[in-house]
């Protein structure tokens, strides 16, 4: 991991050898260096606020970090006896009420199998995986606007997307050319799919173009309002798309999470409007950067680089950084019931106008009445990480695989549980996250029941990988008739766990959103933007001119 | 660049532009001076580079550089030095191509350099340059031309180049150049019978499949349709030219009356009866595609009839290309016959390397035709055939003359056993394509409709060889429907669709005897030989097709159509009377085909638009008004003497001077109805008896 920005943190020294911070009063105190916190720090600093940004860990990123693989297990199942109250739990201190701050366990049910190939430290794992950026999405814009793009390098997910369909990996046709080349599609399927793409393209062009003098949009080229409100799946059927093509569009392009064919209308059906929006983003992503193939890019060295990049931007604008500095308690104004500061683990009290904390802390006022009783109704996401020896798509380094809901229809027992899609992102050594010759993959699926979610993840792994022989050697007992191309990659190591997702909250104590079940950061950044607007309604969120002067020269290149 | 919106040009700084122009002019003058004085100093050559850097189209500068290089090379002996000189030259071309990747001069200069073979060619560099250029614009046809040149130069096998086109098509199938190159390479490979390319059927089936993938993905992309059109042409037309009709037909019995322009009505029973006034018998051969090379040795004539030994075959075509569908010769009968006598004439066309089509394939279906000529010498009366103007009565319902014997219709056709051989595969292939495109749900794609219509026509053509006429008519019906749709759907190409529709309609009306007979009769007019009459009125025809089925017609009524052209009628060497009144003929030049019909006596041109244009606007190639031969000059001179404005009427003069009409109607046209026009007609057609319904005297 690269070193963080210049900070007041004492990088060496004993755990309790905390530095003293001067000044003792800030506009904003932020605890935790996850992506939303880091973006907020950069935005506040850019808006001219004084910012103190602390993190209990010795590294940046909190729940959004990338960590060396050997530290993963301890990270996922932290010591239950968290020493959160190292500072004296004084009931009152001067005019403030002191409220103890506790961390909650975000991860559960971690389960690993296999042995990590040595050198294990060469594997860097994301806690937010599988995740990518659309070349044209908000995260990329923010990086360019803030100047954070100078601190991160991206590579494209050049292998494109694959859909797991009828037991095979099917390359997702997403353009005129890929539809043409595809040999599995029937002629009429090709026609229907490309016609649908053309329709969407015309719709996007017609609706995004500035209205001409007459102020009218070409009605013929657009999709009617009535159709936009239809469930997307219905619209696709109306367009004559076959079941397989519907699955392609719904799950591999529009990235729908839940079963859109489900008879139960309570599940999340995406509307045509939403679907079209994602396709618009997808198609504007393709070709945005000359050197990026496909729509998706992934940061070299892992997603942990992103919060760090924003922290650097914040530091450049004057934010003060202190790592290895837990917040022990919050200070509350007794009369107004407002949070007015934080007591650091060093015992020092810092006063501030606005407090922002990492979602891994329990928010005192909100958590007390509910405590853990509602844990079952919480949104959850089951995640998996695996290491294997061969690319899932020959000739490609990085690929995305989507398992539509009910992908393993043969297993009736599981079918009911597979109401959500599973996404898998394969990464190779060209992203510096694993040693050459090895591949990593992240999987995730949203769930309400953790064990069911884990089952789906395992099922997806079983579908793609062959298990390692019990003696630990790689499978070389395949029948000779099988060509090596047909052999499934061998799973060397895997880990499956469940993460809960708590929403960000606003108020005098802001809590940022947790990594969600999505493939991208769109929703997280949207909430982050809202949080900023709540604190500083009159300030611009990372305005364009907040970036260093040389921002533009990189705008057509990922690297 | 293709597929990118054109941006308005930035307002040019006028001062800078004029400065640039002045600089360019100055450079140009200096280079031309150096060129003239053969100055090949370093500075002089440098100037030409400066000029080409700004304007790669300055072709003289390239020529100058060629001479300069040759001059320089002469003084060099060290191969290394020669090599570096060539290298410098190649770099100049690259600089020019950077300025304009489509510069003809620059590309040609490079080819010239390589062809000089002064230094070993660095093919890697050449291919690298090409790759770069084709990446920028995959449809730069200069690049593709150069690629073909390089491939030939390096001896790259066609198979490899074929793979390259496939790669480019996979990158982006909207690439005419790649498809085009593919068609060329495939043709070569099939002709050479290279390994894996032995079966034309297999290769074309694969190609059909490939291109339909593109067509179904995006039917609005034209490039694939063009390739499909090429495939269709390869599938639907026989490889070698075929003789499809002749006059006289095989087995015909002709009776010729040797008396001068007279005939006794009661003796007439055969429709092939002719008044042999000129003592000539025309023989007309009609091929399925334009051919050349008909001569005394490629067409064998045998007969006990005496005719001149010098047989000259004439191409009946309005273009001067030498290729024609229709060829004619005239036998000059030398026999003095005292009584009725029969002679047989045998026409044989063996396999011949002389007779070749435009694509270079030779004639290989031997044909023998035999017909008999009966010379009748009877009667002594002299009857003036044109003592009354011929009246056309197309409005009256057409009645077959009772006197008419069934026409030996089937004899008109020549079917060759060779054609049948692989027509089954062709037919199946085409039917598959038809089924496929019928499913293509693009309600209003003009390409789909046009292709379907073309496929149906091709199917109909194959069916005609198999003689399944009912099916043939069904195909025609459907194709007619598509053309009607297309006329509404794509009005900018209306005339093309109308022409195509006319062809299909003519095919439908003439393809079987039963339908055709409704339009045929034998016309018997007082004091005239009975004439074979065909009436095709009020059909909205815009052009003539299937003329090979009309070559026996003597009276043809095409009035009340929308004819814009009469091309095709030149094949009707028996034609005596022609009615094309109430059509859309807009110029005298459009009537050029009629000049080839020497038997034509009666012509009704009334109510057209003649005079609206002086040049036929329906054709791409027209003979220039300045390319007349000596006779035309004479005619011009004669008109000039009579105070006729030759500049105004040159087109009319050229037409009328070669017509030997007895009756002409031209009222209701745009030609000025002035007195001197009448004079002009009188001068040019001395044989004329009736003009616009009035007796001329």
């Amino acid at each position: 991991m690269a070193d963080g920005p210049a900070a007041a943190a004492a990088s060496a020294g004993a755990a309790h050898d905390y530095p003293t911070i001067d000044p003792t009063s800030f506009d904003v105190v932020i605890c935790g260096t996850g992506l939303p916190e880091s973006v907020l720090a950069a935005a506040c600093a850019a808006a001219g606020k004084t910012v103190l940004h602390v993190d209990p860990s010795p590294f940046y990123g909190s729940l959004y970090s990338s960590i060396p693989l050997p530290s993963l297990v301890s990270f996922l199942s932290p010591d239950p006896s968290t020493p959160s109250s190292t500072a004296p739990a004084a009931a009152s201190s001067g005019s403030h009420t002191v409220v103890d701050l506790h961390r909650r366990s975000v991860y559960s049910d971690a389960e690993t199998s296999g042995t990590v190939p040595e050198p294990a430290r060469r594997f860097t794992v994301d806690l937010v995986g599988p995740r990518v950026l659309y070349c044209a999405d908000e995260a990329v814009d923010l990086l360019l606007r803030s100047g954070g793009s100078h601190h991160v390098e991206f590579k494209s997910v050049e292998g494109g997307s694959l859909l797991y369909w009828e037991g095979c990996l099917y390359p997702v046709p997403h353009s005129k050319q890929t539809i043409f080349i595809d040999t599995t599609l029937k002629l009429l399927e090709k026609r229907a799919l490309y016609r649908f793409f053309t329709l969407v393209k015309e719709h996007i062009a017609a609706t995004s173009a500035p209205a001409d003098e007459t102020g009218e949009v070409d009605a013929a080229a657009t999709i009617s309002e009535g159709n936009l409100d239809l469930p997307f799946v219905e619209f696709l059927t109306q367009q004559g798309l076959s079941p397989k093509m519907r699955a392609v569009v719904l799950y591999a392009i529009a990235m729908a999470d839940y079963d859109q064919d489900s008879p139960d209308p309570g599940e999340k059906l995406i509307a045509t409007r939403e679907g079209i929006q994602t396709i618009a983003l997808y198609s504007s992503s393709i070709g945005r950067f000359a050197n990026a193939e496909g729509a998706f890019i992934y940061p070299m060295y892992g997603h942990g680089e992103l919060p760090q990049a924003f922290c650097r931007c914040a530091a450049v604008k004057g934010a003060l950084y202190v790592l290895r500095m837990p917040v022990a308690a919050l200070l509350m104004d007794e009369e107004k019931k407002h949070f007015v500061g934080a007591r650091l683990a060093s015992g020092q009290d810092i006063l501030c106008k606005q407090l922002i904390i990492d979602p891994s802390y329990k928010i005192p006022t909100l958590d007390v009445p509910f405590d853990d009783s509602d844990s079952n109704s919480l949104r959850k996401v089951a995640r998996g990480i695996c290491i294997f020896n061969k690319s899932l798509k020959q000739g490609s380094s990085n690929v995305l695989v989507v398992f539509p809901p009910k992908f393993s229809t043969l297993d009736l027992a599981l079918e009911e549980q597979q109401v959500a899609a599973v996404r898998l992102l394969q990464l190779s050594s060209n992203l510096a996250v694993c040693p050459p010759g090895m591949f990593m993959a992240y999987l995730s699926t949203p769930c309400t029941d953790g064990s069911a979610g884990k089952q789906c993840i395992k099922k997806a792994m079983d579908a793609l990988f062959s298990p390692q022989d019990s003696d630990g050697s790689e499978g070389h007992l395949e029948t000779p008739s099988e060509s090596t191309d047909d052999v499934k990659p061998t799973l060397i190591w895997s880990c499956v766990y469940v993460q809960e997702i708590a929403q960000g909250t606003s108020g005098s104590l802001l809590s940022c959103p947790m990594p969600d079940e999505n493939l991208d950061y769109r929703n997280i950044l949207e909430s982050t933007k809202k949080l900023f607007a709540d604190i500083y309604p009159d300030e611009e969120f990372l305005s364009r001119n907040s970036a260093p002067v040389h921002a533009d020269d990189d705008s057509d290149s990922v690297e | 660049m293709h597929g990118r919106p054109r941006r308005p040009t930035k307002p040019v700084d006028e001062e800078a532009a004029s400065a640039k122009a002045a600089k360019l002019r100055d450079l140009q003058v200096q280079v031309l001076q150096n060129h003239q004085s053969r100055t090949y100093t370093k500075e002089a050559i440098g100037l030409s580079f400066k000029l080409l850097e700004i304007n790669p189209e300055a072709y003289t500068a390239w020529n100058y550089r060629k001479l300069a290089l040759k001059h320089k090379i002469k003084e060099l002996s060290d191969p290394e030095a020669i090599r570096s000189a060539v290298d410098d030259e190649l770099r100049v071309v690259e600089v020019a191509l950077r300025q304009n990747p489509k510069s003809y001069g620059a590309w040609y200069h490079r080819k010239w350099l390589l062809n000089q073979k002064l230094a070993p060619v660095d093919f890697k560099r050449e291919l690298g340059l090409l790759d770069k250029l084709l990446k920028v614009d995959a449809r730069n046809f200069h690049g593709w031309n150069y690629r073909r040149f390089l491939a030939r130069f390096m001896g790259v096998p066609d198979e490899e180049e074929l793979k390259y086109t496939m790669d480019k098509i996979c990158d982006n199938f909207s690439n005419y150049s790649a498809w085009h190159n593919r068609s060329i390479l495939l043709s070569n490979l099939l002709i050479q019978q290279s390994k894996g390319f032995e079966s034309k059927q297999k290769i074309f089936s694969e190609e059909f499949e490939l291109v339909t993938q593109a067509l179904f993905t995006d039917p609005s992309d034209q490039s694939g349709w063009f390739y499909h059109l090429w495939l269709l042409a390869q599938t639907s037309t026989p490889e070698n030219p075929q003789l499809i009709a002749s006059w006289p037909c095989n087995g015909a019995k002709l009776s010729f009356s040797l008396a001068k322009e007279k005939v006794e009505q009661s003796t007439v029973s055969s429709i092939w009866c002719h008044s042999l006034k000129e003592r000539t018998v025309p023989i007309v051969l009609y091929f399925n595609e334009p051919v050349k090379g008909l001569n005394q040795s490629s067409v064998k004539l045998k007969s006990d009839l005496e005719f001149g030994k010098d047989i000259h075959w004439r191409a009946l075509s309005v273009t001067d290309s030498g290729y024609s569908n229709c060829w004619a010769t005239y036998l000059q009968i030398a026999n003095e016959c005292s009584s009725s006598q029969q002679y047989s004439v045998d026409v044989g066309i063996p396999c011949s390397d002389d007779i070749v089509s435009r694509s270079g394939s030779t004639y290989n279906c031997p044909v023998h035709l035999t017909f008999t000529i009966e010379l009748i010498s009877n009667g002594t009366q002299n009857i003036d055939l044109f003592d009354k103007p011929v009246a056309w009565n197309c409005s009256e319902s057409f009645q077959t003359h009772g006197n008419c014997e069934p026409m030996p219709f089937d004899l008109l056709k020549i079917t060759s056993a060779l054609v049948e051989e692989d027509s089954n595969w062709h037919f199946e292939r085409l039917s598959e394509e038809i089924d496929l495109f019928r499913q293509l749900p693009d309600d209003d794609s003009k390409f789909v409709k046009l292709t379907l219509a073309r496929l149906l026509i091709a199917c109909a053509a194959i069916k005609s060889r198999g003689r399944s006429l009912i099916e043939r008519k069904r195909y025609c019906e459907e194709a007619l429907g598509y053309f009607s749709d297309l006329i509404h759907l794509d009005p900018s190409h209306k005339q093309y669709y109308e022409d195509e529709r006319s062809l299909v309609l003519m095919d439908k009306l003439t393809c079987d005897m039963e339908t055709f007979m409704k339009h045929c009769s034998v016309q018997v007019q007082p004091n005239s030989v009975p004439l074979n009459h065909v009436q095709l009125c009020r059909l909205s025809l815009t052009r003539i097709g299937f003329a090979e089925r009309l070559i026996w017609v003597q009276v043809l009524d095409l009035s009340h159509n929308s004819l814009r052209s009469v091309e095709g009628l030149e094949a009707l060497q028996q034609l005596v009377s022609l009615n094309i009144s109430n059509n859309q003929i807009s110029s005298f030049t459009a009537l050029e085909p009629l000049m080839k019909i020497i038997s034509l006596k009666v012509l009704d041109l009334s109510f057209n638009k003649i005079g609206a244009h002086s040049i036929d606007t329906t054709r791409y190639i027209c003979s220039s008004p300045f390319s007349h031969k000596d006779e035309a000059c004479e005619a011009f001179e004669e008109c000039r003497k009579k105070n006729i404005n030759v500049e105004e009427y040159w087109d009319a003069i050229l037409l009328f001077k070669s017509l030997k009409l007895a009756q002409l109607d031209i009222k209701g046209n745009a030609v000025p109805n002035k007195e001197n026009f009448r004079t002009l007609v009188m001068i040019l057609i001395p044989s004329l008896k009736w003009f616009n319904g009035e007796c001329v005297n």
Side-chain angles (χ1 to χ4, degrees), chain B residues 302-494:
Chain B
K302 258 189 274 170
S303 175
D304 40 6
L305 204 64
E306 289 168 35
F307 48 82
K309 289 294 159 222
D310 192 23
I311 305 292
H312 174 65
W313 286 93
R314 276 208 306 154
L316 294 178
S317 139
V318 282
T319 60
D320 296 332
S321 63
Y323 290 93
S324 175
N325 287 73
C326 185
W327 289 78
T329 192
Y330 297 87
L331 302 182
Q332 288 285 342
I333 296 173
N335 297 52
E336 277 307 327
C337 85
S338 44
S339 61
S340 298
Q341 217 174 329
Q342 284 199 356
Y343 302 91
S344 80
V345 182
D346 187 66
V347 184
I349 312 177
C351 290
S352 164
D353 289 343
D354 284 2
I355 302 175
V356 278
S357 71
R358 282 217 172 96
S359 63
S361 45
T362 56
Y363 186 81
N364 66 356
C365 339
V367 169
H368 272 280
L369 308 164
T370 313
F371 55 92
T372 53
I373 294 175
E374 186 183 14
L375 298 177
I376 309 163
S377 155
N378 63 341
T380 46
Q381 283 171 281
N382 259 314
I383 300 167
D384 190 349
L385 262 177
F386 299 98
D387 61 344
K388 276 185 200 160
V390 173
W392 301 94
N393 51 349
C394 75
S395 53
E396 279 174 35
S397 69
F398 202 75
Q399 284 184 348
T400 313
H401 197 278
N403 207 7
C404 171
E405 285 183 1
M407 237 173 284
F409 189 81
D410 280 351
L411 293 177
L412 286 169
K413 279 194 218 140
I414 293 163
T415 34
S416 162
L418 282 169
V419 184
E420 301 298 317
E421 198 180 86
D422 49 19
S423 72
N424 257 348
W425 174 77
H426 288 142
F427 185 70
E428 273 162 31
R429 187 67 243 173
L430 294 174
S431 306
E432 267 173 49
E433 292 293 303
I434 290 172
D435 291 343
L436 206 61
F437 287 119
R438 277 196 181 130
Q439 296 171 33
L440 187 55
D442 267 59
D443 348 291
D444 277 339
S445 164
K446 56 178 180 178
F447 298 113
V448 178
K449 283 188 196 292
L450 182 58
T451 302
L452 267 172
R454 283 172 171 160
L455 284 164
L456 289 162
I457 293 169
C459 266
I462 290 179
K463 273 293 160 193
S464 80
R465 294 182 221 148
R467 296 192 185 191
S468 168
L469 292 165
I470 297 157
E471 266 181 274
R472 172 165 202 155
K473 276 169 104 175
R474 219 186 56 224
Y475 287 126
C476 290
E477 287 288 349
E478 197 182 340
L480 283 174
Y482 285 124
F483 282 122
S484 302
D485 290 354
L486 282 164
I487 289 168
H488 292 116
L489 198 66
D490 181 20
S492 53
H493 298 105
K494 183 170 170 247

Side-chain angles (χ1 to χ4, degrees), chain A residues 175-183 185-195 198, chain B residues 169-174 210 212-214 216-219 221 436 439-443:
Chain A
S175 67
K176 182 167 156 177
Q177 239 20 67
T178 44
I179 296 172
F180 168 62
I181 297 167
D182 193 305
T183 50
L185 285 179
K186 293 195 191 80
L187 286 172
L188 289 177
E189 285 182 311
K190 291 192 175 193
R191 182 70 216 108
L193 188 60
Y194 186 65
R195 190 150 63 160
T198 323
Chain B
I169 289 167
C170 284
D171 284 351
N172 179 5
F173 67 77
S174 180
L210 173 69
T212 39
Q213 303 292 321
F216 270 74
T217 303
D218 186 3
D221 193 304
L436 206 61
Q439 296 171 33
L440 187 55
D442 267 59
D443 348 291

Side-chain angles (χ1 to χ4, degrees), chain B residues 257 259-266 378-384 527:
Chain B
S257 157
K260 280 228 161 199
E261 296 195 2
K262 63 186 176 181
V263 70
E264 208 172 300
Q265 206 177 316
S266 56
N378 63 341
T380 46
Q381 283 171 281
N382 259 314
I383 300 167
D384 190 349
N527 305 326

Side-chain angles (χ1 to χ4, degrees), chain B residues 12 38 93 119 154 195 214 278 323 327 340 348 371 385 469 473 494 522 524 552 583 616 658:
Chain B
V12 195
R38 294 166 201 222
V93 175
M154 293 158 63
K195 197 171 174 292
E278 318 275 357
Y323 290 93
W327 289 78
S340 298
F371 55 92
L385 262 177
L469 292 165
K473 276 169 104 175
K494 183 170 170 247
V522 176
V524 184
W552 50 275
N583 275 292
D616 180 8
S658 36

Side-chain angles (χ1 to χ4, degrees), chain A residues 451-467:
Chain A
S451 66
K454 272 171 67 180
Q455 270 303 309
C456 285
I457 299 284
K458 284 182 188 161
K459 203 78 206 164
M461 286 184 184
D462 287 349
L464 296 185
F465 306 112
S466 59

